[in-house]
Amino acid sequence: MDINMGNGGIGVPVVRRDAMAKVLGVAQYAADFPHENTAYAALTLSKVARGRISRLDTAAAEAVAGVRMVLTHRSLNESLGDETFVMKGGHMQSSFLPLTSDEIHYAGQIVSLTIADTLEAAEEAARLVAIDYAREAASASMDDAGLTEEPADSGIDVGDAEAAFAAAEVKVDATYVTPAQHHNPIELYAASAAWQDGKLLINLPSQWVMGTRAGLAKVFGIPIEDVHVESPYVGGAFGAKASILPHVVLVAMAARRLGRPVKLVVPREAGFTVGSFRPAARSRVRLAATRQGKLTAVMHDEVGQSAVIDHVAFAGMEATSKMYASPNIRMRAATVATDVNSPGFMRAPAEAPSFFGFESAMDELAVALGIDPVELRIMNEPARDPVSGLPWSSRLLVECYRRGAALFGWSDRNPKPGSMVAADGTLIGYGCATATYPSAMAPSSARVRLSADGSCVVYCAAHDVGTGAYTVLGQVAADVLGVPDELVTVEMGHSRHPSGPVSGGSITTGSAGSAVHMAARAVRERLFATVAAGQDRSKMTLADRHVVLPDGSRRAISDIIGGLPGGVIEEHADWKPTDMDDKTMQQGLAGGMAFAGPVGGTHVSFSFGAQFAEVRIDPLLRTIRVARMVGVFACGRIINPRTARSNLMGGMIWGASSALLEESQIDRARGRFANTDLASYHFAANADVGEVVVEMLDEHDSVVNAIGTKAVGEVGIVGMPAAIANAVYHATGVRVRKTPILMEDLL
Ligand code: MOS
């Protein structure tokens, strides 16, 4: 791709607007914001997983020079506004706020927050907080004995899947297991809070400044306008920063009580329990088909790890039920409550675990049928959503498979397991799997200002979590206004901006981008109306900082806007998804979670991808390497092929990581996560990843929104673990039904 700094607009691989600031170190992350006279906070965490605090002595901690406050359940003693768990319509990452009782619900729970003039004093004091526990038995693993499965209220039923399965000629029935995982964004969780005249200013890494503002206003019982949330740069998020983590509330409370700004940076190890995580899951998949390979029954039973303190369910049935044409579909979900911190959103929360099982089972069916796994999927492509019967807003999955197979060289594959061997004896395996992700949308506002010199500013309280949102939102405005990209500035990540959506569910470009598009078009309309009242505006265009009139004559933007009072044209827009009513839109714009789709009134909208992997396995040691990955995706219109490709590539690498490396191991005797650092929590580094090829099909979706973009971020991870597991089977003949797949699984 050529580097293009000159021309903005949609479809151009513009380099990242924030790149230089990040590379030069001038981009300010949450913990970098200086508040005058800041005090520093440190955490003390529970060493037991369940029970009560039986003795608490803070005298030694309070005696450390420079210590200003030791906040515990005894000293906190303050009633807070009634704000709820994010998955119950609130904004908190957990229903449980530490320091509000002597109860211990999970290992690593915050049991004190120590504040001092220096970080060193705070950390020393945190170590000196003396606590004894009345310990009770705890289960941090959903596999512990005595735990029960709680079925979900609803499932999905089409036809009679049980009967069709019982009568089928060819069938697969297998169970697949995925572990708990932790996000581990490179930027640690942090919060820096300052109060002034009863108003709260808080800096934290956030995927949702508007929701954080609304939630904190409720917690502290103050008007929403009196909370300011600032998060211009986020060093990775992946869902962990989409809701208010409990420590944020505690830091703001401490700052208010102390009458002084307080800053906390959560250390890496503490992040495993102070933040959230992807819960463990188990999928039983039953597939039945005719000898010719037509699916006759698709059944998926998912069990997910939940928490005693919060019910969390991430079944992937909404996506798996839509993958293949089958007259009989049955999907069920259940949860198992465990003694852990509340699980939360983590990149494709439902789809990533459920597709590992589902797409592994499709491969097992292909083997049972003796049909090529790519062809099996194409044979069962549904013309419409098999559940609702609605048409797709767009679905180019077959095209993704055809193109991906060609790019990968799938036709070179000998289907017999263990048959492809390199000259040195290395076993070679090829595998494939389908990826999908719902294309939901949320309401968003935006403001666009065009000045006489052609410069343009876009304002939106959306977020760039490292994905390129600064760049693509500017491109949308540049495209409408015909200005070069270097004249566009984008301001995001502050609650003073026009409302933006949560940066989750891969919705930012489609949602905030649609609002920017709407505001930019309003600016353009005013420009047209100003330059030539009474002329046919539909025949006017904007290019190169000029308005081109119907007769072909050109008028410079500088002349038009220069003559206006204020010397600018500025427009605000409130955008909502097609199927959303005004009330829901207003709730969303006020910081509530308001999603529309992926199933709308007239269409069903998902992004799709076909993913391929080549693994190389040492015949003796059984070490597994991913030599190549190919992903071909159809995600609607791509605003910026450079940033979209990076998102998808990142997802694929994370998928490889998930397949072979990632697992939050649970010390079941002590009921806690055991590998809470980046030395023992393994994930893919450069040497773990070979060639990665990403291609995006030119897809036009006229239904999903005015700019035609569907979800890009999360779809990249979804099919990769199964594609790699299927490749491992192809290389070795060993079917591994759990991740991570380790060398010992192949012995
Ligand atoms: Mo992502 S898990 O939708 O923040």
Side-chain angles (χ1 to χ4, degrees), residues 207 238-239 345-347 349 437 503-505 714:
Q207 293 171 250
F238 318 123
F345 311 113
M346 179 166 156
R347 205 166 173 120
Y437 195 80
S503 186
E714 283 156 283

Side-chain angles (χ1 to χ4, degrees), residues 432-728:
C432 69
T434 300
T436 194
Y437 195 80
S439 206
M441 299 285 148
S444 177
S445 303
R447 194 164 72 245
V448 172
R449 185 168 73 204
L450 183 64
S451 300
D453 62 1
S455 67
C456 168
V457 192
V458 173
Y459 302 90
C460 180
H463 320 81
D464 192 321
V465 293
T467 47
Y470 271 119
T471 312
V472 299
L473 294 185
Q475 285 179 261
V476 172
D479 196 71
V480 174
L481 296 173
V483 298
D485 190 69
E486 74 243 25
L487 290 182
V488 181
T489 312
V490 179
E491 302 226 356
M492 297 196 302
H494 198 300
S495 57
R496 69 169 171 254
H497 296 141
S499 184
V502 60
S503 186
S506 303
I507 65 163
T508 297
T509 303
S511 307
S514 293
V516 171
H517 185 254
M518 195 172 165
R521 285 181 63 101
V523 168
R524 189 173 68 175
E525 280 304 301
R526 267 188 55 203
L527 202 55
F528 288 172
T530 308
V531 70
Q535 293 204 44
D536 184 356
R537 283 185 220 163
S538 69
K539 296 213 173 70
M540 291 162 67
T541 55
L542 259 171
D544 199 18
R545 283 184 276 171
H546 285 74
V547 175
V548 184
L549 295 170
D551 64 4
S553 64
R554 291 155 65 90
R555 290 279 310 278
I557 287 177
S558 55
D559 293 343
I560 307 163
I561 299 183
L564 294 174
V568 297
I569 292 179
E570 183 163 326
E571 290 287 347
H572 173 105
D574 294 329
W575 179 85
K576 72 175 173 73
T578 318
D579 292 317
M580 188 174 280
D581 59 57
D582 285 344
K583 186 167 165 244
T584 310
M585 167 171 99
Q586 292 306 336
Q587 283 166 354
L589 296 181
M593 191 79 86
F595 274 42
V599 179
T602 57
H603 290 79
V604 174
S605 189
F606 279 76
S607 287
F608 295 96
Q611 301 190 294
F612 296 81
E614 176 185 327
V615 298
R616 298 204 158 222
I617 297 175
D618 186 290
L620 297 173
L621 297 174
R622 310 305 251 180
T623 47
I624 311 163
R625 315 292 292 174
V626 178
R628 293 193 293 138
M629 294 189 277
V630 170
V632 177
F633 300 92
C635 307
R637 189 153 64 145
I638 300 300
I639 307 293
N640 183 327
R642 181 191 305 274
T643 56
R645 175 175 171 273
S646 292
N647 273 273
L648 295 164
M649 182 190 288
M652 288 168 68
I653 291 170
W654 205 346
S657 199
S658 191
L660 300 179
L661 296 161
E662 276 196 69
E663 175 174 16
S664 301
Q665 292 163 350
I666 294 168
D667 173 346
R668 286 166 70 174
R670 302 168 93 206
R672 62 176 191 112
F673 294 117
N675 52 338
T676 54
D677 58 55
L678 295 189
S680 50
Y681 185 92
H682 296 160
F683 56 88
N686 277 0
D688 295 302
V689 180
E691 186 185 21
V692 186
V693 176
V694 176
E695 205 173 277
M696 292 154 285
L697 298 184
D698 184 22
E699 184 177 59
H700 298 270
D701 190 319
S702 56
V703 175
V704 69
N705 54 43
I707 54 175
T709 73
K710 295 192 291 184
V712 172
E714 283 156 283
V715 66
I717 192 175
V718 175
M720 226 53 242
I724 289 169
N726 297 340
V728 167

